[in-house]
Amino acid sequence: MSDIISYKCPSCGSPLVYDGENNNFRCDNCDSTFDVATIKDALAASGDTGFDWGEYKNATSSEQVENTVSYVCQSCGAEIITDATTAATKCPYCDNVVVVEPNLTGIIKPNGIIPFKLNKDGLKNSINDYCKGKKLLPNNFITDNKIKEVQGLYVPFWLFDCDAEGQMSFEATRVSHWSDSEYNYTKTDYYLIDAAGNMSFTKIPVDGSIKMDDALMDSVEPFDFSELVDFAPGYLSGFVADKFDADADASLPRASGRVKNSVAEVLANSAGGYTTIVPISSNIGLSNTSVKYVLLPVYLINTKYQNQSYTFAVNGQTGKVVGNLPISKGKFWGYFAGIAAAITAVGGAILSFLALN
């Protein structure tokens, strides 16, 4: 059995938390810090090694990360993973209490991870910027205490690479107008256009969680994949990770769709100078496909207003916020009444002016 890797503070024994902003591990109890190199040295001493996609395909049922534990939410059924030193008490998906299941195994080892860069102060600033200027937003919709309770979640993603070869035909028109002393003229020319091209794509992200809203994850992009690093379980310290429940094969159609839409857009844009352009046939093939399994940082914020649930996603690397905001009915009618009063006042002033003249 492999040696257990511990991420506890050497000074006081408290759990260490990875600080992405400063790229080190921090002890919140005694304020000690430890650089990543120290943690990597500890991982190397433990015999931890990486593997490529081909090895992963053969290891999906056996190779797992030591020193991780599973938590199961009794409300929504989500299974989340963290390192053994993290005391996770709430589900990132529904905010309910989760219960540790020590007999469950840990995660399959990812090929890479983008560590959290946004801390709780940065999260608060991103939320405040997102809500700034929205006059109809309810007061204290997302409170400071709510932000403090938010659990950072590493979402499982598949990154697809491929080459694409596309051939498309379009019907296009070019419309011109001119006039003489008697008439206005419009001329429409019709064209049949063939376009073809080869393109390469790298790191097309598709989330591997059925529970996660796909549109929400698409919206929280982009991630800066230049900051993707080899996975080490220490990055989970202070955070949780979702287990993928949509494998690479199940996620491939979404990746293929994104590639084909991009190819079609590029080919259509290459035929510029037309008033309208409509695709009539398409043949887009993919080759040299490969995929990697990675964890990407996301904060999920679940909150309620007037018995309706609202979910926000915040990119834990860039601070980008996505989600729908509620409207305060009181503020709405107050704002509407203010506009109506202003219109009435202006109307009264006009009538007075007319009466005086």
Side-chain angles (χ1 to χ4, degrees):
M1 180 180 293
S2 300
D3 294 335
I4 299 296
I5 305 171
S6 178
Y7 296 98
K8 292 185 178 181
C9 175
S11 301
C12 68
S14 299
L16 294 176
V17 176
Y18 177 73
D19 184 350
E21 185 175 5
N22 297 307
N23 194 30
N24 59 22
F25 289 88
R26 181 189 73 252
C27 176
D28 288 334
N29 185 52
C30 67
D31 291 331
S32 298
T33 58
F34 304 90
D35 59 38
V36 174
T38 301
I39 298 300
K40 286 186 175 180
D41 288 343
L43 291 173
S46 71
D48 186 43
T49 57
F51 50 90
D52 60 25
W53 170 244
E55 292 172 341
Y56 173 76
K57 291 291 284 186
N58 297 324
T60 53
S61 62
S62 59
E63 184 165 356
Q64 296 165 335
V65 179
E66 296 289 343
N67 199 38
T68 56
V69 293
S70 297
Y71 292 81
V72 175
C73 176
Q74 302 301 301
S75 176
C76 70
E79 183 180 350
I80 56 178
I81 309 296
T82 186
D83 75 326
T85 64
T86 298
T89 58
K90 284 199 172 184
C91 174
Y93 291 100
C94 66
D95 270 355
N96 285 297
V97 174
V98 294
V99 179
V100 64
E101 295 284 352
N103 293 327
L104 294 177
T105 56
I107 57 172
I108 300 296
K109 184 178 179 182
N111 299 105
I113 186 172
I114 292 181
F116 272 89
K117 202 170 185 178
L118 194 73
N119 58 23
K120 289 298 178 69
D121 288 337
L123 176 62
K124 177 182 176 181
N125 292 336
S126 293
I127 292 295
N128 288 339
D129 289 343
Y130 183 69
C131 296
K132 189 179 298 181
K134 296 176 174 60
K135 297 180 179 180
L136 301 183
L137 186 69
N139 293 330
N140 299 321
F141 174 60
I142 300 178
T143 63
D144 290 350
N145 286 335
K146 180 66 178 177
I147 292 176
K148 290 178 183 177
E149 294 175 356
V150 171
Q151 179 72 66
L153 173 69
Y154 282 110
V155 179
F157 271 80
W158 302 102
L159 299 184
F160 291 88
D161 295 349
C162 71
D163 295 327
E165 181 178 358
Q167 296 177 335
M168 296 187 68
S169 295
F170 303 90
E171 286 182 343
T173 63
R174 184 177 287 135
V175 180
S176 55
H177 305 276
W178 70 94
S179 302
D180 59 21
S181 58
E182 296 185 36
Y183 299 102
N184 295 322
Y185 300 92
T186 297
K187 177 186 177 183
T188 302
D189 295 312
Y190 294 87
Y191 301 87
L192 178 64
I193 302 171
D194 292 322
N198 298 315
M199 284 162 259
S200 295
F201 295 83
T202 61
K203 297 181 177 63
I204 305 166
V206 178
D207 72 270
S209 173
I210 294 176
K211 300 177 293 296
M212 189 66 73
D213 183 273
D214 292 339
L216 199 65
M217 288 300 96
D218 289 347
S219 299
V220 84
E221 296 176 22
F223 290 91
D224 181 2
F225 290 110
S226 68
E227 296 183 349
L228 188 70
V229 298
D230 292 338
F231 175 80
Y235 291 120
L236 300 182
S237 187
F239 303 97
V240 295
D242 188 10
K243 264 190 172 181
F244 74 82
D245 47 15
D247 63 17
D249 291 335
S251 302
L252 185 58
R254 283 190 63 210
S256 300
R258 297 184 73 169
V259 169
K260 291 180 179 180
N261 288 338
S262 297
V263 171
E265 183 178 356
V266 170
L267 293 180
N269 289 338
S270 69
Y274 296 95
T275 306
T276 64
I277 182 167
V278 179
I280 56 175
S281 67
S282 174
N283 183 13
I284 300 174
L286 307 182
S287 60
N288 300 323
T289 56
S290 63
V291 63
K292 290 184 178 180
Y293 168 42
V294 300
L295 298 178
L296 303 183
V298 175
Y299 286 105
L300 285 184
I301 301 176
N302 298 283
T303 189
K304 287 188 175 182
Y305 175 70
Q306 294 185 346
N307 296 321
Q308 184 172 347
S309 297
Y310 293 85
T311 299
F312 299 87
V314 183
N315 188 312
Q317 180 191 38
T318 66
K320 180 182 179 181
V321 182
V322 294
N324 295 320
L325 292 169
I327 294 177
S328 168
K329 292 182 179 179
K331 287 187 175 183
F332 173 79
W333 289 114
Y335 188 69
F336 180 79
I339 294 175
I343 293 174
T344 301
V346 172
I350 292 173
L351 289 174
S352 298
F353 175 79
L354 292 175
L356 291 173
N357 290 273

